[in-house]
Amino acid sequence: NAGVTQTPKFQVLKTGQSMTLQCAQDMNHNSMYWYRQDPGMGLRLIYYSASEGTTDKGEVPNGYNVSRLNKREFSLRLESAAPSQTSVYFCASSLEARTEAFFGQGTRLTVV
Amino acid sequence: AQRVTQPEKLLSVFKGAPVELKCNYSYSGSPELFWYVQYSRQRLQLLLRHISRESIKGFTADLNKGETSFHLKKPFAQEEDSAMYYCALSGAGSYQLTFGKGTKLSVIP
């Protein structure tokens, strides 16, 4: 089983460029999440979607937008990338609140 | 607000020595607590959760509500335990999983 799949794995952007990170899960999970991981900061929640059709801000939502396209897919968009958004981004899914979260392999994004 | 604190960024132990990775939390209600592990070049995965009270790969963790702690322990460290460990908390009815900053465990042969 693929689990949670993210694309791309690596990306380099110039300041001001836009891009969308894609995430899909095949476990029929209701909830999906986007985190960023920075050295010494752990994982911080950007946005989450409790169920299809809903999205909510997490701890660090500024500069990002999300779309829950359907139950399987949850995308993260950077409209105008900034060097401060250089990070490793993880998508995750869970069946519901307070259950095990399954993570993708991560996207390493560099903004120059 | 919910907060998770892992006071050690790096913990080095010798193979066969006991391991304790500390985790303290701040949350006024009834928390759900987890330990996640990230091995080199692998994705983050669940190690254990307090509600299951299991021992996974020899690791155990007990929720101490009085001390608001959820420390991860293993009596005898193995080289394959070297990894990044994250403590995480989910509040009542919350979809937000709050992570600590992580502790890198290095087991010295």
Side-chain angles (χ1 to χ4, degrees), chain A residues 7-28:
Chain A
T7 55
K9 291 186 179 179
F10 301 94
Q11 184 71 48
V12 179
L13 289 178
K14 293 182 178 179
T15 298
Q17 286 185 318
S18 62
M19 79 161 295
T20 300
L21 280 65
Q22 306 287 351
C23 176
Q25 51 91 8
D26 63 1
M27 295 173 283
N28 202 33

Side-chain angles (χ1 to χ4, degrees), chain A residues 29-33 35 50 92-103, chain B residues 32-34 36 46 48-49 51 88-91 93-97 99:
Chain A
H29 283 170
N30 293 311
S31 306
M32 297 186 73
Y33 314 82
Y35 287 88
S93 71
S94 66
L95 183 59
E96 55 191 23
R98 292 162 68 95
T99 59
E100 179 181 358
F102 291 81
F103 285 81
Chain B
E32 178 75 30
L33 284 149
F34 306 83
Y36 282 83
L46 179 69
L48 53 80
R49 54 190 297 189
I51 198 169
L89 176 153
S90 185
S94 172
Y95 288 89
Q96 299 204 34
L97 187 60
F99 285 84

